[in-house]
């Protein structure tokens, strides 16, 4: 899945909870913030097509390098940047066992988070942004199935080619050693693409002085909402393009190397309603700094 996503997993510094590397509606203080760099690897299998069927296809791998940063501009207002610095895709042709590889930058997201309410340990925030289509909107390779005759089941797409405007509202409660948070959002997409309904629910805790853990469930649901010419759904294992939907999970843990510095591991996967993307586990290794 992506996580890709689709601007869908924002990692933020939580100032009231025990772990500073968790997602949620908290905004850092002025001139404070959080930066994160990670390497994501996907081992793909079983393409979940838009027709509801699942097809076996050639071996598929993704390796992405991504960065996230947020900084408090003034009290309760933060600037947020999420950028996939490098995307690589590697797809096998099962007809002869050959591979093709494709490299591209990702589509950066720039946004603002306003923490408009704080009552004790409960907070609420709204967040909005703009994702620009930097990556080339291209279908670069035919995806062949592994059934007899190797019928084509899709086309690998490495760029969406559309502008996204995500808006969400989130809420969270943070105690000294644990927190819970959730959000609901809507993504307006250009080029006649389906708009998206998004949501998250998560919880995290500190198990020891230097160890934090988090769990997260996320949903992205494409909606057939457009008032102009509608674009067709894209059948790509990358899930990049139009019509992708899923409910997925993430489990994350980090170790504090020294004050303000964290080394972490995230494992992600799909749960339900996967459409127009591959199945398969995603593993990310990250380094983060809270300042």
């Amino acid at each position: 899945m992506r996580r890709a996503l689709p601007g869908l997993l924002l990692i933020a510094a939580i100032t009231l909870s025990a772990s500073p590397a968790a997602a949620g509606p908290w905004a850092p203080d002025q001139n404070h913030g959080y930066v994160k760099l990670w390497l994501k690897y996907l081992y793909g299998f079983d393409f979940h097509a838009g027709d509801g069927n699942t097809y076996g296809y050639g071996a598929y791998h993704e390796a992405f390098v991504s960065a996230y940063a947020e900084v408090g501009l003034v009290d309760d207002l933060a600037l947020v940047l999420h950028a996939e610095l490098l995307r690589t895709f590697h797809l096998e042709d099962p007809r002869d066992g050959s591979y093709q590889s494709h490299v591209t930058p990702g589509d950066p997201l720039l946004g603002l988070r306003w923490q408009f309410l704080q009552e004790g340990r409960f907070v609420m925030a709204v967040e909005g942004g703009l994702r620009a289509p930097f990556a080339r909107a291209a279908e670069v390779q035919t995806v062949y199935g592994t059934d007899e005759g190797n019928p084509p089941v899709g086309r690998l797409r490495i760029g969406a080619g559309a502008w996204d405007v995500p808006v969400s509202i989130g809420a969270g409660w943070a105690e000294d050693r644990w927190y819970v948070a959730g959000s609901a959002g809507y993504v307006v997409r250009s080029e006649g693409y389906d708009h998206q309904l998004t949501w998250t629910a998560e919880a995290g805790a500190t198990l020891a002085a230097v160890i934090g853990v988090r769990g997260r469930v996320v949903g992205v649901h494409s909606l057939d909402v457009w008032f102009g010419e509608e674009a067709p759904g894209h059948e790509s294992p990358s899930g990049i393009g139009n019509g992708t939907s899923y409910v997925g999970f993430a489990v994350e843990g980090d170790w504090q190397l020294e004050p303000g510095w964290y080394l972490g591991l995230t494992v992600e996967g799909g749960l339900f309603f996967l459409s127009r993307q591959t199945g398969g586990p995603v593993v990310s290794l990250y380094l983060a700094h809270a300042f």
Side-chain angles (χ1 to χ4, degrees), residues 35 79 134 140 215 235 264 277 291:
V35 293
L79 180 70
F134 276 25
V140 295
E235 302 287 345
Q277 65 177 327
F291 59 92

Side-chain angles (χ1 to χ4, degrees), residues 9-266:
L9 296 178
L10 296 180
I11 308 302
I14 290 184
T15 57
L16 294 178
S17 77
S19 174
W26 291 266
D29 293 335
Q30 185 176 4
N31 298 325
H32 290 267
Y34 178 77
V35 293
K36 175 180 175 181
L37 182 69
W38 69 98
L39 174 65
K40 182 196 83 171
Y41 171 71
L42 162 70
Y43 178 81
F45 57 82
D46 290 341
F47 176 60
H48 301 271
D51 62 8
N53 293 317
T54 299
Y55 301 96
Y57 69 108
Y60 178 65
H61 311 272
E62 293 177 359
F64 289 11
V65 177
S66 299
Y68 175 86
E70 65 173 37
V71 62
L73 300 177
V74 296
D75 290 346
D76 302 325
L77 183 66
L79 180 70
V80 177
L81 173 65
H82 178 203
E84 289 170 343
L85 305 177
L86 183 70
R87 293 171 171 172
T88 69
F89 308 83
H90 312 273
L91 176 62
E92 179 193 24
D93 185 338
R95 299 174 302 173
D96 58 11
S98 63
Y99 272 86
Q100 290 188 41
S101 296
H102 312 277
V103 180
T104 181
D107 296 337
L109 171 70
L110 184 66
L112 291 172
R113 182 186 305 127
W114 175 39
Q115 183 183 309
F116 65 87
L117 174 66
Q118 180 165 356
E119 293 289 343
R121 294 178 178 267
F122 177 76
V123 302
M124 293 188 71
V126 292
E127 186 164 332
L130 180 67
R131 186 185 302 277
F134 276 25
R136 181 167 55 101
E139 295 179 341
V140 295
Q141 187 177 347
T142 300
V143 182
Y144 291 100
T146 53
D147 289 344
E148 184 177 357
N150 301 118
V153 298
R155 295 277 296 173
L156 176 60
R157 191 174 183 88
I158 62 174
W163 292 83
D164 290 353
V165 182
V167 179
S168 65
I169 184 167
W173 182 285
E175 293 289 342
D176 291 336
R177 298 182 65 86
W178 59 269
Y179 77 94
V180 292
S183 70
Y186 192 83
V187 183
V188 177
R189 313 196 74 193
S190 69
E191 305 304 318
Y193 286 12
D194 295 347
H195 296 186
Q196 294 174 329
L197 177 67
T198 66
W199 57 268
T200 69
E202 63 181 278
T206 294
L207 303 182
V210 295
I211 298 175
V213 296
R214 286 164 294 283
R216 187 181 307 116
V217 180
V218 303
V220 175
H221 308 279
S222 285
L223 306 174
D224 189 11
V225 177
W226 189 254
F227 301 106
E229 183 178 353
E230 295 189 21
H234 296 131
E235 302 287 345
S236 172
S238 69
I240 296 172
N242 184 36
T244 299
S245 297
Y246 61 87
V247 174
F249 74 93
V251 178
E252 185 173 272
D254 60 52
W255 175 44
Q256 183 174 294
L257 302 172
E258 58 181 74
W261 289 92
Y262 301 85
L263 182 66
L265 180 71
T266 306

